[in-house]
Amino acid sequence: AACALIALAASGWGANKTATGSYLTYVGTYTNKGKSEGVYSFRFDSATGKLTAMGLAVKTQNPSFLAVHPNRRFLYSVSEGDGAGAVNAFSINAATGQLTLINSVSSKGAGPCYVGVDNTGKYVFVANYGSGSIAAFPVKDDGGLGDATAFIQHKGSSANPQRQSGPHAHYIHVSPDNRFVIVADLGLDEVLVYRFDASVGTLTPNQFPYAKVDPGAGPRHFAFHPNGRFGYVVTEMGSTVVAFTWNGATGQLRNLQTISALPKGFTGESTGAEIAVHPNGKFLYSSNRGDDSIAVFSINPGKGTLKLDENVSVQGKEPRFFTLDPTGRYLFAANQNSDNLVLFHVDQKTGRLTPADVNIPIGAPVCVVFVPTP
């Protein structure tokens, strides 16, 4: 569930998936590499694919994941670090692209790596990778964040002693109906489900509390199918995509399929990173760091199962993140270790990718979100 698509769905643009127009585009980065200073802004014309740099939107530490409020007036970022982390709230200047800090709150854990906004815009969620915890914060009238309304510390371990000696929450976001919250915990090899009470911002374990993936696979990010019947998780160490059926009434995930995201015969080292389902529901994409590719899958419309169609070079190194633009016509690949953002055309009939001849230098890019503008 790429952060761009989260922002899109939350803002109500999911109903008009083919509307072309102009978008403010924000790119979060790692600032500890010394090549960037915070969040950068661009203008994106979805009709032509033109991406115009607007410069540094705000100077802030390691904004490695971003989310946009449904009203399009506020943006939220994590400040990721080895120790205590933070969640930042910013106001958006639609004319200039500049971001202004409203306030910053403790993420209530170490190494926050994911932030999301519920569909009502009343709560912000964070996943703390380092300490393996999750939290929810109320959104104030000015877009700032209040004291946490929910905090859950995960416990346990899994098969890989180097990576899974404890919990590592890596993803948190609401189900399409806003009744449940899905959490991918890399350290536990579990995709957890919590009941979410949007009236008070609380999280409680669901009757069906989790689905397991293969031991040592390490679930990282999750994406729902637009029809609300299926869900998919990319595994980091396994470099696989796991398909699930989703029961929206009970919040139950059931394992359906596990399929490799790597090319047949690949023997090197590679880890999975990001996942996204095309707005038309026909295709799924995941990224490989090491193979440095985007895996393109076709989705069986009735069963929800996947078939790997191709792996496409990202024209860079370490595609930690990618996303589809709001129209589904372009894919943005954020290559962390080669310091570039690369655009691809998406074939609407086959889902296949071809370079769009847009290659933007930017230091350690790790997240991209879109804000529709008039």
Side-chain angles (χ1 to χ4, degrees):
C3 47
L5 294 185
I6 291 167
L8 171 69
S11 63
W13 278 64
N16 189 6
K17 300 181 180 72
T18 58
T20 56
S22 176
Y23 297 86
L24 266 177
T25 303
Y26 290 101
V27 180
T29 67
Y30 273 125
T31 60
N32 57 2
K33 309 296 183 183
K35 297 178 180 179
S36 62
E37 295 184 278
V39 180
Y40 292 81
S41 62
F42 297 81
R43 289 278 182 198
F44 174 61
D45 184 339
S46 62
T48 64
K50 184 179 180 181
L51 192 65
T52 305
M54 300 174 71
L56 181 66
V58 69
K59 188 173 182 177
T60 185
Q61 180 184 6
N62 287 341
S64 63
F65 215 84
L66 311 175
V68 177
H69 192 280
N71 67 16
R72 309 171 195 165
R73 293 168 49 209
F74 311 118
L75 180 142
Y76 301 93
S77 83
V78 297
S79 279
E80 184 177 344
D82 295 332
V87 185
N88 306 312
F90 302 97
S91 61
I92 296 171
N93 184 319
T96 67
Q98 290 295 296
L99 299 173
T100 301
L101 181 67
I102 302 169
N103 77 331
S104 181
V105 297
S106 167
S107 70
K108 300 186 72 67
C113 64
Y114 200 101
V115 62
V117 188
D118 90 302
N119 294 342
T120 70
K122 293 180 180 178
Y123 292 93
V124 164
F125 307 104
V126 66
N128 294 302
Y129 177 86
S131 52
S133 62
I134 59 173
F137 303 89
V139 176
K140 299 179 179 180
D141 290 344
D142 67 351
L145 300 175
D147 295 335
T149 55
F151 173 80
I152 296 173
Q153 175 63 58
H154 289 173
K155 296 179 180 179
S157 59
S158 196
N160 185 318
Q162 284 77 39
R163 299 293 309 277
Q164 298 177 312
S165 60
H168 293 297
H170 215 310
Y171 167 94
I172 181 169
H173 201 62
V174 288
S175 60
D177 62 7
N178 218 53
R179 295 174 55 233
F180 300 96
V181 161
I182 311 299
V183 179
D185 194 303
L186 180 147
L188 303 182
D189 282 325
E190 293 175 354
V191 182
L192 300 100
V193 182
Y194 293 94
R195 292 193 302 275
F196 172 55
D197 186 339
S199 65
V200 289
T202 55
L203 298 171
T204 53
N206 190 37
Q207 175 188 359
F208 304 100
Y210 59 82
K212 299 287 285 188
V213 302
D214 290 340
R220 181 181 168 96
H221 283 182
F222 183 92
F224 275 104
H225 191 282
N227 67 15
R229 295 170 47 213
F230 308 112
Y232 305 90
V233 73
V234 59
T235 69
E236 182 163 326
M237 290 95 77
S239 293
T240 58
V241 175
V242 184
F244 303 91
T245 58
W246 168 252
N247 185 322
T250 63
Q252 184 176 19
L253 290 166
R254 287 180 178 267
N255 294 62
L256 190 61
Q257 177 195 27
T258 299
I259 183 171
S260 176
L262 292 168
K264 189 174 182 179
F266 180 84
T267 57
E269 293 185 7
S270 192
T271 56
E274 187 54 270
I275 188 167
V277 179
H278 194 278
N280 67 18
K282 296 179 180 179
F283 317 113
L284 180 144
Y285 304 87
S286 70
S287 64
N288 297 302
R289 297 172 294 180
D291 182 52
D292 292 333
S293 67
I294 303 290
V296 181
F297 298 88
S298 52
I299 301 175
N300 183 301
K303 298 179 180 179
T305 51
L306 305 173
K307 179 175 73 72
L308 180 61
D309 292 330
E310 65 173 351
N311 287 81
V312 178
S313 168
V314 293
Q315 301 184 6
K317 296 180 180 178
E318 293 277 316
R320 183 184 184 86
F321 182 85
F322 71 88
T323 191
L324 297 158
D325 86 299
T327 69
R329 298 173 61 211
Y330 293 92
L331 183 143
F332 287 57
N335 298 318
Q336 177 186 338
N337 287 3
S338 54
D339 304 315
N340 63 334
L341 187 68
V342 181
L343 268 63
F344 295 84
H345 292 291
V346 180
D347 188 301
Q348 301 300 291
K349 293 183 178 179
T350 67
R352 296 190 176 230
L353 305 176
T354 54
D357 297 323
V358 178
N359 190 324
I360 304 292
I362 181 171
V366 288
C367 190
V368 181
V369 295
F370 301 95
V371 182
T373 56

